[in-house]
Amino acid sequence: MPSVSDSDPLIFFVNGRKVIEKSPDPEVNLLFYVRKVLHLTGTKYGCGSGGCGACTVMISRYDPEAKKIHHYPATACLVPICSLHGAAVTTVEGVGSIKKRIHPVQERLAKCHGTQCGFCSPGMVMSIYTLLRNHPEPTPDQITKALGGNLCRCTGYRPIVESAKTFSPKSTVCQLKGSGKCCMDLDERCSESREEKMCTKLYNEDEFQPFDPSQEPIFPPELIRMAEDPNKRRLTFLGNRTIWIMPVTLNDLLELKASYPEAPLVMGNTAVGPGIKFNDEFHPVFISPLGLPELNLINTTDNGVTIGAGYSLAQFNDALDFLVSEQPKEKTKTYHALLKHLRTLAGPQIRNMATLGGHIVSRPDFSDLNPILAAGNATISVISKEGERQIPLDGPFLEKLPEANLKPEEVALSVSIPHSAKWQFVSGLRLAQRQENAFAIVNAGMSVEFKEGTNTIEDLRMFFGSVAPTVVSASQTCQQLVGRQWDDQMLSDACQLVLEEIRIPPDAEGGMVEYRRTLIISLLFKFYLKVRRWLNEMDPQKFPDIPEEFVSALDDFPIETPQGIQMFQCVDPNQPQQDPVGHPIMHQSGIKHATGEAIFVDDMPSIDQELCLAVVTSTRAHAKITSLDVSEALACPGVVDVITAEDVPGENNHDGEIFYAQSEVICVGQIICTVAADTYIHAKEAAKRVKIAYDDIEPTIITIEQALKHNSFLSDEKKIEQGNVEYAFKHVDQIIEGEIHVEGQEHFYMETQTILAIPQAEDKEMVLHLGTQFPTHVQEYVSAALKVPRSRVACHMKRTGGAFGGKVTKPALLGAVCAVAANKTGRPIRFILRRSDDMLITAGRHPLLGRYKIGFMNNGEIKAADVEYYTNGGCTPDESEMVIEFVVLKSENTYHIPNFRCRGRACKTNLPSNTAFRGFGFPQATVVVEAYIAAVASRCNLLPEEIREINMYKHTSKTAYKQTFNPEPLRRCWKQCLEKSSFFARKQAAEEFNRNNYWKKKGLAVVPMKFSVAIPVAFYNQAAALVHIFLDGSVLLTHGGCELGQGLHTKMIQVASRELNIPQSYVHFSETSTITVPNALFTAGSMGADVNGKAVQNACQILLDRLQPIIRKNPKGKWEEWVKKAFEESISLSATGYFKGYQTNMDWEKERGDPYPYYVYGAACSEVEVDCLTGAHKLLRTDIFMDAAFSINPALDIGQVEGAFIQGMGFYTTEELKYSPKGVLHSRGPDDYKIPTVTEIPEEFYVTLVRSRNPIAIYSSKGLGEAGMFLGSSVLFAIYDAVTTARKERGLSDIFPLNSPATPEVIRMACVDQFTDMIPRDDPSTFTPWSIHVS
């Protein structure tokens, strides 16, 4: 490391305030700095890798050459503070605040109901705000593009997009799908709705404050002066271990690179940053040539364009856009190909940070641009003190061959891309798990040049990414094809040759080997067709066009801006104006979410002597711990202690859940010890130095099949049966049997598990602040671990950034781990799980194996069903027994099968314990039901929808477990869904499309639902509330429910407002706490508003009863007067409300009961288009009809339905957990686990809340938190409908495994064709695959 005595001061601005950092540390990123140094906690930690957008900020820089200010979004977690010299940073606090003035972006996001848990909201605000700074009247396309790097797990994106569209120029009519008609007049949907008094507006645009772009803060003039300073000098920032040097001239840069050849050049930090953060790379010196004019030049000649290596990918995109608009089309084919891939590469934040030179030189194997640049004959100019030279961007360079590499002292200066020739065609092709912000599974850049006027190949280039450790060139294949005609025989030979040249080993990292082999030649075929079509355009006489039914294969699915209508019951015009029940009220924390002023646990200020905790987890699935050496960790800087099982004062194993592993580990990811240190970085560094030795134990059980083989279970079998199943099977026309695998799902709540434990000075008290759905459970586990009464443990829960079931049981275990550390050290402990640790330790939805045997008549009537379910529960009990009970109880869905048997068991494996997840078994189990419905339909040559209709409950009936119910609302949802989605007409249109298109197929499915709420154990359904009235008339409300984003507290304020007959503004909710409401049950099972609403109602009615004598004496008095008078008459103004709970029960021995208080019914119709060559799919339209009974708050309820649907859609399509055969989870962050983004949601999205009656619940409402999840399977079954059509056309069986998720791999490999038949296949016994399915 060079010797430098003093660091230069780092100068930048944050929210208009000057920051002078006298000792800037190059290892500190902007996210840490704004949160922990500047205490601006609106910017959130979501993943740490730039993949989720929660930490988005706006960075503004002045360009002295162009004399312009450039605003762009960036993910603060990847921005080193040293890179910000001379920049202005705007965080969400700088956009607006409740204390000063909220900005229209923040107001509209909240009022359009674009926030639920609120954790992603500041990032969303910053992305939209930055867009408005550059485009004050954005187009819908610009909005969708701007949000592409931001993940949201709650809302389903539609309201976020809608809030941004309020800034777009208004058209006089809402031009739905370009029809020019108003969407309200589209069909009978609306005329009927007017009779029913249906409303479609969830917010009032008239309330919005106007947006005036001229009122935005100015760029600091001091930074303009700094940028234009002619006497700029080299700057050096000295950290504890590293040094950051900013040269100001090219010669200075080359001198530095000669002195420190191993030092990385850092501009965007999107390659170097993750390497340091996740791969333990260390660099003592960083060189940052930001702003060097020579790296930011663009030069266009007659032959092509040269672009500076310092251009960001977003600037590169803009430059190409300009070239395409200026140059004739024949010259811009390479630029078009690059632009197509730039649209979906990463998200806008990364595209604005990453540089062209950095992307090319780092040569990632998954690069979307390098294969196209190589195909387009691009070259890279590199320079050193020795001079400048050109390196061709070709196979040797991309394959990192030593002779083609940059020398250590060389710097990338620019990239030259030639114009395409008249008889040259260039294309980029890719396929990823989702359309945007996802690494390609396989990508390619291809170019062919023909002898003029012929189809004879003169030059051919093909480069493939994500098929090897580097991008690879199919150079031998290309050489052999030169001179050939561009015809079908050439294609056939090309496919064989390329498969021989590019061999993906069967155990290759990333898996999907046969799929990736298929994609190589499928993409080659697409290129072949594109070239054929282009040749025909060049000379229609000489070159015949491709068959009409192949044309749709040419293009990828377009990215459209979603739109739709939400319909709900209008409020009775006679309802008092002050009564908020039934109105679409904004989330009570919505504005705070959007301004970043909603406080989450890690936003709480640090406490004196506070320590941070890092975990050390098992790397083996089943092993004895033979030694645990913590000595090296204890000697690390900042470390206070290492906590192990020996430090647990009380129980270390409570109810089968182990806090700290002691002598044995039972899964990869089990906590063995924790390190407490003064900073998280110190704790994490020390954790790496804990030495553990293991002896493996056999058997190691990873999959359900292995568990069945070893008879390894967590619970006894659960069974329900009705009729005589065996007899019925003997008297049916047909019997089918099948097996369905449904993989698991990661919760991916935006806020990871977060706990702050504060030991008190007296009486062994422990106070915990945490995000949980079940504070009482945390209290119980901490009490057991510390061996103190529960009364000494206080759990505070204000809000959490999403939960979805993942914060029911897991915070109790983690809370105990954290409390033990706080107890041992005697100091407050902040325990924030990193995203990768959270995904590893806390697991998720249970993978499921379903086996069925179905007996049915030729008319489609099902007479008998025998179904078995097995779930992968993981290594400890957790919620697995209750999940399998729910699976069995819900296993009939909406169908009456007279002879029905269902059995289920939870398997014990050596995976982290799976847990509660939205829908609680129903989304997995019912896939099996709908799969056998589809199989029966196929055998009877009927539509699945017809089989559903035939077998659906039709009148008041008893379930298989003898509970009586009336399916009338189900029938109504089903009927409306079929009619108003125009299902049969659209099905016919899809069939017409499918006849005319061989490589793309459309599919539709309508799926019905009978979903249960609450728990079959009565005492689990109880709830309590506490309501205080203060002497000024204000009301403080609390209850046992937890705010997870679902708007529970908002609804409770609505209930209190109605019951006390006071404005909502009088009612305040502070937090949920074990101090105020003891022994509260979990907020889960869709019953939060049901049970807590009854308790709040009870408390308010008690108070109102007490006030009645005073009100009678002074009926025209004001609320405040009545309250004051009551106090003077010594009437208590505080009341506890209580709800005994729904009296549910289930007797498993008798196989009967009333396990659920009521059902939520619904139906969804989805239409998809599938690309049979790649496995990609596009969701075109979804119509949801949900039986809401009476909605207390339609905005919140529709938000829950949409959010659950999108989460379900992700579960059934893009979300795939990959485990190694040894039980190691590969999917540990947003880079390798793909939840839906804004581009995955339906292009048209219609949601209708259907009115019914539910007198058992408060105000006749229904709990809608989970029901929408399963309706996402309408997308799965629409995909399978499309695939079935493709298979039939290819002469294949139309009955095939309907497994979930239907990833691109599953879709493509089911569409068997000449390409899947062509690939080499390996004997499974000869290799160990990289990943396996665990269901």
Side-chain angles (χ1 to χ4, degrees), residues 736 856 932-945 947:
I736 50 165
F856 56 99
Y932 66 64
I933 291 286
V936 170
S938 178
R939 283 285 180 90
C940 297
N941 204 21
L942 293 168
L943 290 177
E945 287 70 23
I947 301 296

Side-chain angles (χ1 to χ4, degrees), residues 876-1129:
T876 65
D878 202 279
E879 301 258 46
S880 292
E881 184 168 9
M882 195 186 284
V883 168
I884 202 69
E885 288 178 1
F886 273 55
V887 163
V888 171
L889 288 171
K890 299 181 180 197
S891 58
E892 56 177 27
N893 195 15
T894 58
Y895 308 112
H896 175 62
I897 300 172
N899 305 285
F900 181 82
R901 180 194 298 136
C902 180
R903 291 167 287 182
R905 259 188 121 172
C907 297
K908 183 177 184 180
T909 63
N910 295 113
L911 290 179
S913 288
N914 286 305
T915 189
F917 201 135
R918 196 178 206 166
F920 210 72
F922 184 82
Q924 302 99 296
T926 327
V927 166
V928 179
V929 179
E930 298 303 331
Y932 66 64
I933 291 286
V936 170
S938 178
R939 283 285 180 90
C940 297
N941 204 21
L942 293 168
L943 290 177
E945 287 70 23
E946 291 171 314
I947 301 296
R948 291 178 179 122
E949 176 72 50
I950 289 165
N951 293 285
M952 197 179 292
Y953 280 106
K954 297 188 175 58
H955 41 74
T956 299
S957 310
K958 284 192 173 176
T959 63
Y961 44 85
K962 313 298 183 284
Q963 183 166 23
T964 303
F965 76 104
N966 179 3
E968 188 275 331
L970 163 66
R971 304 290 306 168
R972 210 144 33 95
C973 289
W974 174 252
K975 183 170 176 285
Q976 285 191 31
C977 191
L978 287 171
E979 287 175 6
K980 302 207 176 160
S981 69
S982 310
F983 170 75
F984 290 105
R986 284 167 56 212
K987 181 75 180 162
Q988 276 188 314
E991 285 167 2
E992 179 66 18
F993 175 90
N994 293 339
R995 277 193 291 275
N996 296 327
N997 292 276
Y998 187 79
W999 295 110
K1000 285 220 175 107
K1001 298 294 178 191
K1002 285 186 176 179
L1004 281 92
V1006 184
V1007 174
M1009 175 191 69
K1010 171 170 74 60
F1011 184 80
S1012 61
V1013 303
I1015 311 292
V1017 182
F1019 71 81
Y1020 278 160
N1021 301 320
Q1022 63 183 300
L1026 182 61
V1027 178
H1028 302 315
I1029 304 173
F1030 293 93
L1031 291 181
D1032 61 353
S1034 64
V1035 174
L1036 180 63
L1037 158 67
T1038 187
H1039 54 83
C1042 297
E1043 178 56 60
L1044 320 167
Q1046 80 281 45
L1048 175 59
H1049 298 339
T1050 310
K1051 284 187 176 180
M1052 295 307 97
I1053 289 168
Q1054 288 176 272
V1055 170
S1057 170
R1058 168 178 275 193
E1059 294 299 331
L1060 295 174
N1061 196 21
I1062 57 174
Q1064 287 180 95
S1065 58
Y1066 281 37
V1067 187
H1068 177 62
F1069 187 98
S1070 178
E1071 66 169 9
T1072 303
S1073 159
T1074 54
I1075 291 173
T1076 50
V1077 177
N1079 311 319
L1081 272 300
F1082 38 70
T1083 304
S1086 300
M1087 62 181 183
D1090 280 39
V1091 298
N1092 291 293
K1094 288 275 196 183
V1096 170
Q1097 182 183 44
N1098 178 237
C1100 292
Q1101 287 175 351
I1102 290 168
L1103 287 166
L1104 211 56
D1105 283 348
R1106 290 180 193 163
L1107 291 175
Q1108 276 311 318
I1110 288 161
I1111 295 171
R1112 277 197 293 272
K1113 284 180 194 167
N1114 179 16
K1116 293 195 175 167
K1118 288 186 175 168
W1119 167 256
E1120 291 84 351
E1121 293 166 7
W1122 298 334
V1123 168
K1124 187 167 178 288
K1125 186 68 175 163
F1127 181 72
E1128 288 166 2
E1129 293 192 10

Side-chain angles (χ1 to χ4, degrees), residues 116-164:
Q116 285 186 23
C117 83
F119 201 79
C120 75
S121 304
M124 295 288 179
V125 164
M126 293 314 302
S127 287
I128 300 169
Y129 176 75
T130 309
L131 171 66
L132 293 180
R133 290 299 299 264
N134 292 314
H135 304 282
E137 291 193 335
T139 65
D141 282 350
Q142 287 171 330
I143 290 165
T144 311
K145 194 172 179 180
L147 293 170
N150 292 74
L151 299 181
C152 173
R153 196 55 156 161
C154 295
T155 64
Y157 299 101
R158 194 269 317 153
I160 298 170
V161 173
E162 202 162 298
S163 76

Side-chain angles (χ1 to χ4, degrees), residues 1307-1330:
I1307 296 169
R1308 177 63 186 99
M1309 300 315 283
C1311 295
V1312 178
D1313 56 29
Q1314 65 266 40
F1315 302 111
T1316 54
D1317 290 343
M1318 207 182 276
I1319 62 162
R1321 294 176 191 259
D1322 303 282
D1323 177 352
S1325 64
T1326 61
F1327 66 95
T1328 302
W1330 180 76

